Amino acid sequence: MTAAAAPRCLATRSGRWERPTSGQEVRTPRRFYGSGFSRLELTGKAGRGVRPLRLWKRLLGLRRTVIEEIEFDEAEEVLVVSVRPRARERDRCPRCRRRCPGYDQGEGRRRWRALDMGTTFCFVEADAPRVRCKRHGVIVAAVPWARHDAAFTSSFEDQTAWLTVNTSKTAVAELMRIAWRSVGWICERVAAEAQTQLDLFADLKRLGVDEISVRKGQRYLTIVIDHDTGRLVWAHPGRDKQTVYKFLDLLGKDGCEQIQLVSCDMADWIAVPVAERCPNAEVCLDPFHVIKLSTDALDEIRREVWNDTRKAGQPGLARELKGARFALWMNPERLTERHQHKLARVQEINKDLYRAYLIAQQLRMIYRVPREQALERLEAWLK
Ligand SMILES: [Zn+2]
């Protein structure tokens, strides 16, 4: 039976395989022949062997690896690439990368899921012998195409991790055709590797500390970001002084002394430990919390004015003021015509409230103009 006659499978969104319905003929210009396993000639005629191999290595993202054979498994409809590590990569401990004496053949040959070839599943297959490391004991030898303990190739995992950062979890699981639980493990491995190559604590100068709530109920994480790189530097359950001290302990004495600025809300649990441990750091309020304060103050004034109007027996005016709440809150550029009208009415009926509104808006503008202008405006605003 030739491969061209074999029914072809399509990958669907659900991640399952489906036969094409009759009439939906899919033509595949495949070069694989034979039944069962069909083998792709890699080193056929003179001079043609090398380039296809290099191309395959590129396509599969395989480095420091020798491709032995590429087969199309007709029964499972998957591409299987048999490989071995280059001589220099063999018999290495996956933890310390040291060369070790061989121990045994482990569990024999195994497969790693590689990036799909179009819609066709693709696997890298190789022996997985064990070595005996002086420090790490008997352990499955490292392979250059995958991380330790992974069932996927490194390039497969890198792509999955990137997608996880940039899309939804359902999209990742469906597109990569893996279980969501695998996505979690993959991200852990990729993150662990990235952390060994990057010292997040190096050269920290300007930090932001804040809390975020996680899950339901009163569960919080303290998070620290680096304003210069925009990176998340540290996150830990809890929002209290102890948690902040934990971070400062990790940072060490020298690290603490390097800190020039810490932005946060006004909470003592952040400000007190920072003041204590970081002698050169200035604690400042981040824009979000400053704006929130001014919006809260504005709302308080609106409520007072509204109460006064109501008590003074002017229910019509009181209703109008109540309706103006959103107009006062919104960014001026996002105001609808109706809201603009409401604001104009506020200006007419209550000068104090309108003045408070203008002051709050001016404060907002300070964060939007270039630094020099912002300083000038801030001085003026404070007056
Ligand atoms: Zn080792």
Side-chain angles (χ1 to χ4, degrees), residues 93-98 100 133-137 139:
C93 166
R95 301 209 190 279
C96 59
R97 313 298 300 180
R98 225 172 276 164
C100 313
C133 173
K134 269 184 202 157
R135 273 176 62 198
H136 301 102
I139 193 165

Side-chain angles (χ1 to χ4, degrees), residues 151-170:
F152 309 93
T153 62
S154 300
S155 47
F156 186 97
E157 294 197 321
D158 292 346
Q159 179 163 329
T160 305
W162 186 90
L163 281 167
T164 314
V165 174
N166 291 284
T167 66
S168 74
K169 70 173 191 180
T170 355

